[in-house]
Amino acid sequence: MQSNKCVVSFASHGRENYCKFLLGLIRSCNVADWRRNGGDYYMRTLDGYVDEYLGVKIINGCYPVTKKYGQCYNQFEAPYQFKVYAILEAMERGFEVVVWCDSSIRMVKDIQPLLEIAKERGVCAFHNLGHDFRKYISDIALERLQISDNELDAVKQIMCCMVIFDFTNPKGLDVFEKWLAASRDGVSFQNGYGSSRPEFVAHRHDQVVLSGLLYKAGIELLPYGGLCYPPHDQDKKYGDNIYFVNSGG
């Protein structure tokens, strides 16, 4: 019988060897007893780096393909849309709980408490401390989200390197479907759209759009710390209840 939950990731050779990073993600999940606790994996690589590792089968091929929407756009056409499609592909194959992890993520311990939060809220995501939402979203993406300038400081940006969707919760499914639609609308994920706001730095595609959707849905974020970057996994500056570390490799 297939598990109802899976860790999903997609990797390629890019700025770094993310395919190699993917193997580190799998190792960390095994150490954290993901499979022993009933979890499964749904992994893809773009360039055939490896087709199986520690008993985990890895699909080799281009960007994810789904039954309903077909092949997604490439990274130039819609940056990071592959993340949405990888999750969709897992959902279409019957997984009800999807844990998206960038290949640089390392699972530290059993994440059952986070799965329970996802079940309750529909989505479990962490606050991207120090990265204000208003600095990283284009004007046109804001317009599509129907978020006013007066609301900007109320919206918290998430860390999209790890997000949990529970599709048994209607709110989680609704947020995901709106995220998917935004990835295909021709503007929300695309480069080339800036902002007239003086504090604007750059548009962060999938991350800021999902941040806005969670805000609109009233889904609270967990504080930075349970998902963190080095050296905070060592100095415990933001607490020692750490589930994931974005190791960067």
Side-chain angles (χ1 to χ4, degrees), residues 8-239:
V8 172
S9 195
F10 181 91
S12 66
H13 282 83
R15 288 172 297 182
E16 299 190 60
N17 187 349
Y18 295 113
C19 293
K20 183 178 180 180
F21 291 1
L22 184 67
L23 307 188
L25 168 62
I26 293 170
R27 286 195 301 271
S28 75
C29 293
N30 282 355
V31 170
D33 289 332
W34 173 249
R35 178 160 276 171
R36 187 178 299 176
N37 290 329
D40 207 338
Y41 297 88
Y42 201 80
M43 306 292 198
R44 266 187 180 271
T45 60
L46 185 60
D47 43 16
Y49 183 76
V50 65
D51 56 14
E52 186 169 338
Y53 183 69
L54 297 179
V56 177
K57 292 183 179 179
I58 301 172
I59 302 169
N60 293 318
C62 198
Y63 290 85
V65 176
T66 76
K67 296 176 183 176
K68 184 176 181 181
Y69 292 100
Q71 187 167 314
C72 72
Y73 302 121
N74 64 39
Q75 182 74 337
F76 176 78
E77 295 169 319
Y80 300 98
Q81 189 200 40
F82 66 80
K83 187 178 299 187
V84 187
Y85 261 60
I87 296 170
L88 176 62
E89 191 174 39
M91 182 176 70
E92 287 185 343
R93 280 155 178 76
F95 291 104
E96 298 175 326
V97 180
V98 174
V99 183
W100 167 267
C101 292
D102 285 6
S103 59
S104 57
I105 287 289
R106 301 295 175 260
M107 188 183 294
V108 175
K109 63 181 180 180
D110 180 16
I111 64 168
Q112 185 57 38
L114 301 185
L115 300 182
E116 292 171 1
I117 290 171
K119 185 175 183 63
E120 176 188 351
R121 301 180 184 179
V123 184
C124 177
F126 286 85
H127 182 207
N128 197 347
L129 186 67
H131 294 81
D132 295 339
F133 175 78
R134 63 162 51 247
K135 295 181 180 179
Y136 296 99
I137 185 162
S138 67
D139 289 341
I140 195 166
L142 265 183
E143 180 182 331
R144 290 297 179 103
L145 287 166
Q146 297 184 329
I147 294 175
S148 69
D149 289 345
N150 293 334
E151 295 177 280
L152 283 174
D153 290 329
V155 186
K156 293 181 178 179
Q157 186 171 188
I158 69 168
M159 301 169 70
C160 210
C161 53
M162 194 296 302
V163 182
I164 305 173
F165 286 92
D166 190 316
F167 297 121
T168 67
N169 185 318
K171 186 174 281 191
L173 182 59
D174 181 63
V175 167
F176 179 77
E177 288 179 341
K178 289 176 179 175
W179 196 35
L180 171 64
S183 80
R184 297 180 59 82
D185 70 9
V187 295
S188 293
F189 276 40
Q190 273 73 5
N191 293 315
Y193 296 96
S195 172
S196 59
R197 299 187 309 277
E199 72 275 14
F200 178 74
V201 176
H203 183 58
R204 286 195 171 178
H205 318 103
D206 61 309
Q207 182 165 286
V208 286
V209 173
L210 183 53
S211 300
L213 290 171
L214 293 176
Y215 165 76
K216 297 283 286 187
I219 297 175
E220 294 183 19
L221 306 186
L222 297 181
Y224 176 87
L227 166 59
C228 66
Y229 290 90
H232 302 140
D233 57 323
Q234 299 297 319
D235 63 24
K236 308 297 194 296
K237 181 178 179 180
Y238 296 95

